[in-house]
Amino acid sequence: MSKLAAEIAKRRTFGIISHPDAGKTTLTEKLLLFGGAIQTAGAVKSNKIKKGATSDFMEIERQRGISVATSVMTFDYQGVKINILDTPGHKDFAEDTYRTLTAVDSVILVIDCVKGVEEQTERLMEVCRMRKTPVIIFINKMDREGQNPFDLLDELEQKLSISVRPLTWPINMGSNFKGVYHLLDRSLNLFSANKTRIEKNVVSVDIHTPELDARVGEKDAAQLREDVDLIEGVYEPFDRAQYLSGEIAPVFFGSAVNNFGIQELLDTFTKIAPPTQARGTDVRVVEPSEKKFTGFVFKIHANLDPKHRDRIAFLRICSGVFQRNTFYQHIRLKKNVRFANPYNFMAQEKEVIEEGFPGDVIGLYDTGNFKIGDTLTEGEVLNYQGIPNFSPEIFKELINLDPMKSKQLEKGIDQLTDEGVAQLFLQPQLGNRKIVGTVGDLQYEVIQYRLEHEYGAKCRFDGMQVSKACWITSEDPKKLQEFVRLKGQNIAQDKDGNYVFLAESDWILRMNQTNNPEIEFHFTSEFK
Ligand code: GDP
């Protein structure tokens, strides 16, 4: 096997997703602990934002500006290189999470056994389904009185439209939780609440022998036998191919905070999760094993330290070998760029790298050249797909409060929207009115704060009567121009100059769609 093929086969790049509070941060940390990447708990910073507090967000971002290590965590485990990509749980930053999901090869979904499937879980799973991303489900907090596990599985199948297959099975829950039975290994992992140490209490058991009764008591032994019979009767044997094609999600039960159920999850993940996958571009599908380097930027992180205005662009390598100090083509800007200090992220620190392989995420210092979705290649003109802007849900007009600082404001809002914090729409026909669209109110506070503190520009946001933005195209350029002229106030342009129709309500949008069959309305920016 060539070096490139060996490196590709070694990598597992995935994201952990959950509704806030289900235990994503805890699980991430425990995976690092079991993987030997950290020695003590408390090393992984939560990226949680409590009830829309801007100060929370700023504090988290400030800490990350200093140590961005929490955005990507890399560690080696049993000969496999594991890259965990962090995703914000807060719904106002959902778009950031969607984009991160374009850079992973698989996903672990965390469910709280008390709450079951929650709103954010459903939305995130929709994105996974769309991309056919393989998903493993971890049902967490089994030390609490949760829902009946069979009911939970039904709920997962119904609400997430995916088939599930349990690979471990719990013996009771809450204060009676005794552990899990591994359905493939036929072993018993007995539970003891322990938040600090890793305890290994795994025994091989034939559940049809009295040994099981001796281990868990007669009543629970009888229940487990009944449950296992039922599972084996109802579910087909686990088939990895179905998992890899996104049809079936294997399910594990555990308690992350108690270090329980993590080993089974990590070991199975290492065995079954897909290595680096091929990816689609606007021209063709690119295989990771191709010799020439390609990659795309899926996240840009601002350094909130006003003394260092540089940003970090996170690039996912898709094919070939990335090398330090080598010129690559920046496709959108049509220019050659090279990087003296690309780095990767070990569990708690970052280090400059000489080369990177498909599946890796590297950090590139950026002084304003990158936008989310940008592709780098060795010269071939192609653009990675699947990083669209979605129609925002809230729209506000940006009002400059200090005419002396117009330049700063323009530059600030331009850069912040490149980072994907929000989308900017312009109305040149209306005195260059600027409209900022987001998926959550929190972003306006964040933008206002950052414009003031990083760019010295003061602004205000005024609410607008807009509920949807649709990108519009037409096969007949004349018809498009006519529509644009007629709709005046309702027309804006995105940063790339594409026309966008701003609708006051869903009803108005539908009416315009019906009355203008020659115009196509698109709900994401990726319509080419
Ligand atoms: P995130 O918002 O999904 O990142 O959730 P966190 O990892 O921050 O966890 C939310 C809360 O649930 C924290 O207070 C954790 O200590 C707690 N938690 C995590 N795992 C467990 C568990 O297995 N059992 C119980 N009882 N609590 C847990």
Side-chain angles (χ1 to χ4, degrees):
M1 209 193 299
S2 71
K3 181 172 182 212
L4 178 58
E7 293 289 346
I8 291 168
K10 248 171 75 173
R11 278 161 174 76
R12 303 287 180 277
T13 303
F14 75 107
I16 304 183
I17 54 176
S18 79
H19 189 88
D21 271 344
K24 183 174 69 70
T25 312
T26 313
L27 180 64
T28 306
E29 176 160 291
K30 300 303 174 157
L31 288 174
L32 295 177
L33 192 66
F34 277 74
I38 55 170
Q39 267 60 52
T40 48
V44 177
K45 294 265 177 304
S46 167
N47 66 6
K48 201 167 351 189
I49 298 156
K50 297 176 207 105
K51 289 215 174 5
T54 320
S55 57
D56 247 27
F57 174 81
M58 298 324 293
E59 191 42 45
I60 290 159
E61 291 296 284
R62 208 187 318 278
Q63 286 173 6
R64 289 174 147 202
I66 298 160
S67 154
V68 286
T70 45
S71 292
V72 187
M73 285 153 281
T74 296
F75 63 97
D76 289 309
Y77 181 70
Q78 295 183 344
V80 171
K81 189 170 180 214
I82 296 181
N83 297 318
I84 308 181
L85 306 197
D86 192 23
T87 55
H90 196 287
K91 80 169 186 10
D92 285 8
F93 293 85
E95 239 194 291
D96 197 16
T97 299
Y98 301 156
R99 284 191 296 251
T100 300
L101 291 179
T102 64
V104 303
D105 296 304
S106 72
V107 152
I108 293 181
L109 168 65
V110 189
I111 300 277
D112 179 332
C113 73
V114 183
K115 295 187 175 149
V117 174
E118 297 173 84
E119 186 197 337
Q120 235 0 56
T121 328
E122 286 186 56
R123 293 177 102 199
L124 292 166
M125 262 304 293
E126 242 171 70
V127 179
C128 294
R129 264 202 322 275
M130 223 162 69
R131 307 178 56 82
K132 297 197 168 53
T133 309
V135 176
I136 295 180
I137 298 175
F138 182 75
I139 299 190
N140 191 27
K141 306 197 184 179
M142 290 304 290
D143 58 321
R144 291 209 180 148
E145 287 306 332
Q147 301 174 33
N148 172 295
F150 282 110
D151 292 346
L152 272 172
L153 295 185
D154 282 348
E155 189 183 335
L156 289 170
E157 293 207 327
Q158 276 171 17
K159 291 199 176 155
L160 303 181
S161 312
I162 186 168
S163 300
V164 297
R165 174 58 162 105
L167 294 188
T168 65
W169 194 253
I171 302 163
N172 276 323
M173 55 174 62
S175 51
N176 277 326
F177 183 49
K178 290 195 178 156
V180 294
Y181 176 66
H182 199 304
L183 292 155
L184 299 183
D185 293 359
R186 301 187 183 278
S187 60
L188 203 58
N189 185 4
L190 295 167
F191 177 71
S192 59
N194 191 331
K195 294 192 171 56
T196 48
R197 269 180 305 133
I198 297 177
E199 285 196 7
K200 289 206 173 119
N201 207 355
V202 180
V203 281
S204 273
V205 170
D206 177 347
I207 57 167
H208 299 292
T209 62
E211 194 192 344
L212 182 68
D213 302 74
R215 295 268 181 196
V216 301
E218 257 174 55
K219 187 168 152 280
D220 289 331
Q223 184 68 50
L224 180 65
R225 289 184 190 113
E226 199 181 298
D227 288 354
V228 171
D229 272 354
L230 189 60
I231 291 164
E232 282 169 359
V234 172
Y235 295 100
E236 296 286 318
F238 173 65
D239 176 1
R240 184 178 177 223
Q242 284 184 313
Y243 154 69
L244 291 178
S245 60
E247 288 162 64
I248 272 206
V251 178
F252 291 83
F253 292 84
S255 169
V257 78
N258 288 301
N259 297 323
F260 190 80
I262 315 288
Q263 192 75 56
E264 294 86 352
L265 176 68
L266 183 58
D267 287 344
T268 310
F269 172 83
T270 311
K271 264 190 237 146
I272 68 171
T276 315
Q277 299 293 291
R279 281 196 144 58
T281 70
D282 54 349
V283 217
R284 62 184 187 90
V285 170
V286 177
E287 294 292 333
S289 56
E290 292 180 22
K291 286 217 170 57
K292 291 196 170 161
F293 158 78
T294 62
F296 67 90
V297 172
F298 64 94
K299 186 184 177 101
I300 293 176
H301 202 285
N303 189 344
L304 295 186
D305 179 351
K307 280 189 271 195
H308 304 276
R309 185 80 75 59
D310 52 352
R311 311 189 287 182
I312 292 150
F314 290 80
L315 177 118
R316 149 102 197 197
I317 302 176
C318 298
S319 68
V321 185
F322 171 92
Q323 269 157 337
R324 184 161 100 103
N325 275 328
T326 303
F327 278 108
Y328 294 116
Q329 173 92 15
H330 186 310
I331 300 299
R332 180 177 55 89
L333 297 182
K334 297 190 181 71
K335 85 180 198 192
N336 285 328
V337 288
R338 68 173 169 174
F339 305 91
N341 294 306
Y343 55 81
N344 79 354
F345 310 84
M346 296 311 277
Q348 278 167 291
E349 63 231 39
K350 47 188 198 216
E351 59 172 21
V352 172
I353 50 153
E354 292 302 324
E355 53 185 17
F357 298 93
D360 282 346
V361 170
I362 52 177
L364 304 173
Y365 283 107
D366 173 39
T367 48
N369 281 327
F370 282 122
K371 230 160 90 161
I372 283 174
D374 279 345
T375 299
L376 293 185
T377 74
E378 288 190 24
E380 185 177 352
V381 177
L382 50 80
N383 289 288
Y384 278 96
Q385 298 280 280
I387 319 162
N389 285 317
F390 296 86
S391 170
E393 286 161 26
I394 309 174
F395 298 82
K396 291 188 179 176
E397 185 181 350
L398 175 71
I399 310 280
N400 184 5
L401 292 182
D402 182 354
M404 304 294 288
K405 297 279 171 66
S406 307
K407 277 238 160 57
Q408 284 85 336
L409 187 82
E410 299 254 343
K411 182 167 178 213
I413 195 67
D414 203 43
Q415 292 203 341
L416 293 185
T417 45
D418 277 355
E419 281 171 30
V421 184
Q423 291 178 57
L424 181 63
F425 301 103
L426 301 166
Q427 292 188 307
Q429 75 277 26
L430 296 173
N432 215 15
R433 178 148 85 145
K434 292 183 180 59
I435 297 167
V436 174
T438 70
V439 291
D441 258 326
L442 185 51
Q443 269 117 330
Y444 293 103
E445 288 175 51
V446 169
I447 294 170
Q448 208 170 13
Y449 181 97
R450 290 189 54 191
L451 281 175
E452 185 167 344
H453 289 83
E454 292 169 43
Y455 298 89
K458 280 204 168 62
C459 75
R460 183 182 85 214
F461 285 103
D462 285 358
M464 292 179 74
Q465 183 63 29
V466 175
S467 78
K468 264 272 166 332
C470 286
W471 283 264
I472 46 172
T473 55
S474 175
E475 288 189 356
D476 182 349
K478 274 207 208 100
K479 289 267 191 298
L480 185 65
Q481 283 307 329
E482 198 179 301
F483 185 77
V484 164
R485 191 176 52 79
L486 273 173
K487 295 296 164 184
Q489 291 236 1
N490 292 78
I491 301 292
Q493 281 167 278
D494 70 9
K495 287 175 86 174
D496 299 320
N498 298 308
Y499 284 118
V500 177
F501 177 69
L502 306 173
E504 288 93 337
S505 67
D506 286 353
W507 183 80
I508 290 185
L509 176 61
R510 272 198 304 279
M511 202 178 66
N512 275 282
Q513 284 173 301
T514 317
N515 293 346
N516 300 281
E518 67 287 355
I519 305 287
E520 285 170 54
F521 294 75
H522 312 269
F523 290 90
T524 75
S525 64
E526 205 162 73
F527 45 76
K528 283 163 204 139

